[in-house]
Amino acid sequence: MSGDLTELYQQVILDHNKRPRNRGRLPTANRVAHGENPTCGDQCSVYLRLEGDRVAEISFDGAGCAISQASASLMTTLVKGRTTDEARGLYEDFKRIVTTGEAPEEISDLAAFAGVHAFPARIKCATLGWHAALNALKGEAAPASTEGAGS
Ligand code: ZN
């Protein structure tokens, strides 16, 4: 791997990795999905409680690299309180950032992951938690996979 990894691990990523938000099982969850990224060995489970069409509570649990865990942590803070459609929209923004490196200022914390685009193998790490969350919203029982993601 080449390139400057220090630039990749910006403050927001380091902070979420060190102090993950909404981490642990959510006892009141009515949707659960698990995702894994075999390429890197990342695991992520997302628990959420959907009330109507809104995510009332959300948490994640898992193990893996800093990118995957920080991304899942940040995802929970952004998706909480959103509708299913809003959550999908956030994921679309995030996917654009990590695949192109283009980060509009108003997207704030998500922009911390812009450096990921220079490391294509890490895109799957960054999107793992989002895939699990979207699958949980869809109510799919099957494990989420990031294989084929980024297209
Ligand atoms: Zn990873």
Side-chain angles (χ1 to χ4, degrees), residues 9 37 39-43 63-69 121-126 128:
Y9 294 100
N37 174 19
T39 313
C40 183
D42 307 319
Q43 306 268 344
C65 68
I67 298 287
S68 68
Q69 302 303 300
R122 310 308 294 277
I123 292 173
K124 290 178 180 176
C125 303
L128 178 64

Side-chain angles (χ1 to χ4, degrees), residues 5-21 60 65-74 94 97-98 108-117 119 122 125-126:
L5 271 169
T6 58
E7 199 178 315
L8 181 57
Y9 294 100
Q10 291 187 33
Q11 199 60 41
V12 172
I13 297 177
L14 290 172
D15 181 53
H16 276 272
N17 189 53
K18 199 173 171 185
R19 297 185 301 116
R21 321 295 202 275
F60 83 101
C65 68
I67 298 287
S68 68
Q69 302 303 300
S71 175
S73 171
L74 176 62
F94 183 65
I97 290 169
V98 296
S108 65
D109 281 1
L110 285 179
F113 290 85
V116 170
H117 90 282
F119 307 90
R122 310 308 294 277
C125 303

